[in-house]
Every structure is written in structure tokens, then in C-alpha cells.
Amino acid sequence: MLTQRFCKGLPVLLAALLLLPAGAKAEDLVAVYNLARQNDPKFRAAESNYLAGLQKLPQARATLMPTLNARAARDRNDTETVTDAFIPGRPSGRFEFSSSEYSLSLSQPVYNGVVFAGLKQAKAEVRRAEAEYAAAGQDMMRRVAEAYFGLLAAQDSLDFARAEKRTIQRQLESAEGRLKVGLTTITDVHDARARYEIASAQEIEADNQLQDQREALRELIARAPGTLSRVGTAMPLVTPEPADIDQWVEQSVAQNYSLLAKREAAESAREEVKRLQAGHYPTLDLVGTRTRNDADGSITGTGIRSDNTVVGLQLNVPLYQGGLVSARTEEASHRFDAAQQELEASRRQIERSTRAAYLGVAGGAAKVTALLQAVTAGESALAAKTEGFAAGVNTNLEVLDASRDLFRAKRDLASARYDYLLNLLRLKLAAGTLSETDLVQINGWLQ
């Protein structure tokens, strides 16, 4: 079953939860994922649709089974006859009596093209339901990770905005103090004040973004998120294995659950064409009837009881239905063509997203490394500019520029780490191999 591969990581996930320290306040990625699995309405709807889709097969099989019907009737008969001169000895008069009839009928399809095609179509629908459910589970992992790291990124942006604002405020106070003793110009003060106002506006914007990201995560877990575990500084930078983008694309085309669902949808549309075409074909059924008639009387005055058994083959040949079957078949053919085009569009989209995720992982590792060096260089530059400003070598503007560059580098570094992790998950999602085990692995990099 397709869902077996999707669920095989669940014991690992539960084991990771049991290893959480008692009284831990921060919610990690695994804890948030489990809340989303229980509360995300989109995933729960997919689960219900999956369970409903499984019923397609027993419904189709039922049409191949024998049909057995029982019938019982109890009647009151009131018969009146008159003498007929041409029929000597014919009884005349009024006769009242009760009668009962019991019948048991059986019908078994021998050949029915509509039923046989419907069974193949039902199997395709079940495979489609399994693929869609697995795809929904993997998509929920992606949405949880995006919301989780999106909230962390928003918190980082707010923290950096506040830190930059405090730094600018200190520089503004310093510039105002130096202006009073004639060590700087009014231009430096105005520039620092302008930057301070801009930093205040950026802080408000970052706070609004944080609230929006918090609501995005609440939407998944049905409650306000608490403090989240952050990505550790010792997070490893793994590279895709195999290190061949074409192999990842081939794997995605072969295993991606969303693409598998589209394939099964196209197969179901193909079988629908065959099912409707079979409306032109004859049907052959094995039929049997067992009937008992029990009358308390008759026109002759005596009761009658009879048992009758009929077994045979019944052939039905459709001749003309006003073109209904042809029109329905033509409609189904066009829908099959549409399903094939949707399948091709999905295949191309999966190829593009796979390549983008692969390049995101490969380039993301290099970007994180470069930004680490940029942060180190920015810290050194800020320290040098600060010392130079105290010695009168550098201006206040140069210190503010160095401070701004450092905070931007730190913010970009945090964002690059989150993008790198998300691209790892997106690559495995595209390849159809994303599982709870991957979340547990990333969860181990949090602190």
C-alpha cells in the first residue's frame, strides 16, 4: 500500500517524543507536527476523503456478486363467474378465498462490460485515494515546517530590528552629546535621528509580520504556539545524495505522490470511457426463480398449491437509446484528454520544483557558509568603526552603516538556515520520500 511508506516513520516519531525532557518549555518541530496531525482540518479532510475512497472497490465488487431477492404476498380474492352456454360444465357463482405467494429470485452476471470496466476503474480510484492521502500527509509536513521556521524567521527579524533600533538610539544619544560639546555636526544628529525613525518603522513592520506568522501556525495546530526551539549554531550542512540533479528528477517523476494521484486519475478517466462504451454491448445473466402459490380456494371450490422453479440465461441486447451512450462516451473521452493534459502539467511542475529544491539545498549550504563569514567580518568592522569613532577617526554615519550591515548579515544568515532546511524537505517531498523520520532528524538540530 502507498500509505505504508508514509506511515513507517511513526514509531521513530513517537520515540523522539518520549525522549523529550520533562518540563521542557520550548515546543520543537516534532511536537508542533503532532499537534498539526491531530488538528489540521486540511489533513483531517484528506484522511476522511481517503477512507471514503477506499469504499469504491467493495462497491464495484458488489456489482459482480449474485443478487438475491425475496417476495411474499397475501391476497384476498373475490371472483364472480356466470354460466356460459358455450362452455358446458363451467362453474358459476361467487367465490371468495385467500391466497399466498412466496418467491425467491437470483441473478448472477455472466458477462457485463459495464460492470467489469467499473471494477478496473474502482481499483484506479482506490490507488488514487491512497496517493492523495500520502501526498496530503507529506504536504502537511511541509506546511508545518514552513510555518514553524517562518515564525522563527519573523521572531529573528523582530529581534534584529529591536537590536538595531537600540544601537541607533545609543548612537543618536552619543551624537547629541558630542554636538553639545562641538565634537560633531548637526548633520550627524539629523542622520542618526532619521535612521532611528526608520528603525522604529521597521520594528513595527517586523512585529506585524510576527503576529501574522503566529496566526499561520495557530491555523495548523488550533492553538497559540508557545516558545519554539531554535536552530542550533552547530547545524550540519548536508548535501543531496545522490549528487546528481537528473537522478532526483527521475525519482520525482517515478515516486511523487501528487503525480501518482494524477496518473491514477487519468487511468480512472480511461476506464470511464471503456465503461460507457460497454453500454453498447449485450449483457448475459444467469437467473433463477423459485415460486410457491398457496390458495385457500378457487373457482372450482378446491384449494390449490403449486411450486415452480425456473433457471435460465437471460440475454439483453441494447438496440437504440437515442444516442445517449454515444454522447456520454464522447464526453468521457474529452475528460480523459483533459486528465492527460493535467498529468503532463503536473509532471513538468514536479520536475521544475525538484530542480529548484536541489539547487536550493546545494546553493543554500554555500550561502550559509558565506554569511557566517560575513557576520564575523561585520562584527570586526563594527568594532573597528566604534573604536575609530571614539578616537575621532570615523564618523557617526560610518558606525551606523557598519551596525546596519551587521544586523542585515545576521538576519540573512538566520533566513538562509531556514531556507536551507526547508529546501531539504521540499526536495524529499518532490521525490516522494519525505517522512516523519526527516522531521525527527531536523528536530535533532534544534536547541
Side-chain angles (χ1 to χ4, degrees):
M1 300 288 286
L2 290 171
T3 51
Q4 290 178 343
R5 180 149 52 98
F6 166 63
C7 297
K8 67 180 182 180
L10 190 56
V12 179
L13 184 65
L14 295 177
L17 284 177
L18 294 176
L19 294 176
L20 289 175
K25 294 182 179 180
E27 292 180 321
D28 59 16
L29 183 60
V30 168
V32 172
Y33 168 75
N34 276 276
L35 287 172
R37 188 177 179 86
Q38 298 171 5
N39 298 289
D40 177 35
K42 187 175 181 179
F43 175 71
R44 297 302 298 272
E47 187 175 38
S48 296
N49 287 330
Y50 161 67
L51 295 175
L54 294 182
Q55 300 306 311
K56 293 287 187 180
L57 190 55
Q59 291 175 21
R61 285 173 175 166
T63 59
L64 297 172
M65 299 296 131
T67 301
L68 188 63
N69 294 304
R71 179 180 176 274
R74 179 69 176 176
D75 303 316
R76 180 66 182 172
N77 300 272
D78 188 353
T79 305
E80 183 175 358
T81 62
V82 296
T83 302
D84 191 337
F86 297 98
I87 306 178
R90 178 175 180 175
S92 62
R94 185 171 184 174
F95 306 90
E96 295 182 0
F97 57 91
S98 298
S99 63
S100 300
E101 180 180 346
Y102 308 95
S103 65
L104 190 65
S105 59
L106 174 69
S107 177
Q108 169 64 57
V110 176
Y111 173 77
N112 190 319
V114 174
V115 171
F116 296 156
L119 179 61
K120 293 182 179 180
Q121 184 182 26
K123 292 179 179 179
E125 285 295 324
V126 168
R127 293 192 299 269
R128 175 185 178 181
E130 292 174 346
E132 288 179 342
Y133 178 54
Q138 291 186 337
D139 183 67
M140 183 188 63
M141 296 182 211
R142 175 192 61 81
R143 290 185 291 113
V144 167
E146 288 180 348
Y148 185 94
F149 293 121
L151 180 55
L152 287 181
Q155 182 65 63
D156 288 340
S157 295
L158 180 58
D159 293 341
F160 293 142
R162 287 174 174 171
E164 184 176 7
K165 178 183 174 182
R166 288 193 298 268
T167 300
I168 295 175
Q169 183 178 14
R170 288 193 297 268
Q171 289 300 117
L172 174 59
E173 294 171 350
S174 175
E176 290 174 340
R178 292 169 67 88
L179 178 63
K180 291 179 182 179
V181 297
L183 296 178
T184 189
T185 64
I186 190 64
T187 302
D188 286 343
V189 175
H190 289 328
D191 185 77
R193 190 179 303 278
R195 290 176 183 249
Y196 178 79
E197 296 300 332
I198 293 175
S200 297
Q202 290 175 342
E203 179 187 13
I204 295 173
E205 182 181 359
D207 186 62
N208 291 338
Q209 183 66 23
L210 175 63
Q211 298 306 319
D212 181 68
Q213 289 295 328
R214 191 179 299 276
E215 290 301 314
L217 191 53
R218 182 205 290 267
E219 185 179 348
L220 291 173
I221 64 178
R223 69 167 177 81
T227 303
L228 302 182
S229 299
R230 293 180 173 271
V231 178
T233 56
M235 180 191 78
L237 298 175
V238 298
T239 56
E241 183 61 38
D244 185 346
I245 192 172
D246 292 329
Q247 290 187 32
W248 280 97
V249 171
E250 291 176 4
Q251 187 176 11
S252 298
V253 172
Q255 297 183 183
N256 181 270
Y257 282 122
S258 296
L259 196 57
L260 288 175
K262 290 292 185 181
R263 286 198 184 100
E264 296 303 336
E267 182 63 23
S268 176
R270 184 199 304 274
E271 293 300 330
E272 176 68 5
V273 175
K274 295 179 180 180
R275 189 183 72 85
L276 293 173
Q277 284 177 337
H280 290 295
Y281 307 153
T283 62
L284 182 64
D285 298 316
L286 174 65
V287 296
T289 304
R290 173 71 174 178
T291 305
R292 167 172 290 184
N293 291 301
D294 191 354
D296 296 338
S298 67
I299 60 175
T300 60
T302 58
I304 299 175
R305 177 176 175 177
S306 63
D307 294 315
N308 186 39
T309 301
V310 177
V311 178
L313 293 173
Q314 180 175 296
L315 178 67
N316 292 311
V317 181
L319 297 178
Y320 181 67
Q321 299 182 49
L324 178 63
V325 173
S326 298
R328 286 177 173 174
T329 303
E330 183 71 15
E331 176 189 358
S333 297
H334 291 306
R335 296 194 183 280
F336 172 56
D337 292 338
Q340 287 183 308
Q341 295 303 319
E342 291 175 359
L343 172 61
E344 176 62 19
S346 296
R347 185 189 65 79
R348 297 179 187 180
Q349 189 273 329
I350 291 300
E351 288 185 359
R352 180 177 63 85
S353 61
T354 302
R355 293 181 183 276
Y358 181 92
L359 295 175
V361 173
K367 185 177 181 180
V368 170
T369 302
L371 287 171
L372 280 170
Q373 297 175 354
V375 169
T376 302
E379 290 173 342
S380 299
L382 178 58
K385 293 294 177 61
T386 302
E387 292 177 0
F389 176 72
V393 177
N394 296 106
T395 64
N396 188 50
L397 178 60
E398 291 174 321
V399 174
L400 292 175
D401 286 342
S403 174
R404 179 198 60 197
D405 293 342
L406 175 58
F407 284 120
R408 287 183 178 178
K410 288 183 176 181
R411 182 188 60 203
D412 292 344
L413 174 60
S415 179
R417 281 196 175 107
Y418 302 141
D419 290 341
Y420 168 77
L421 293 175
L422 290 175
N423 280 321
L424 275 177
L425 297 178
R426 289 167 184 157
L427 181 59
K428 293 192 174 184
L429 172 65
T433 60
L434 181 61
S435 67
E436 291 94 340
T437 305
D438 298 307
L439 296 184
V440 172
Q441 180 184 28
I442 292 178
N443 200 67
W445 301 341
L446 305 180
Q447 62 183 16

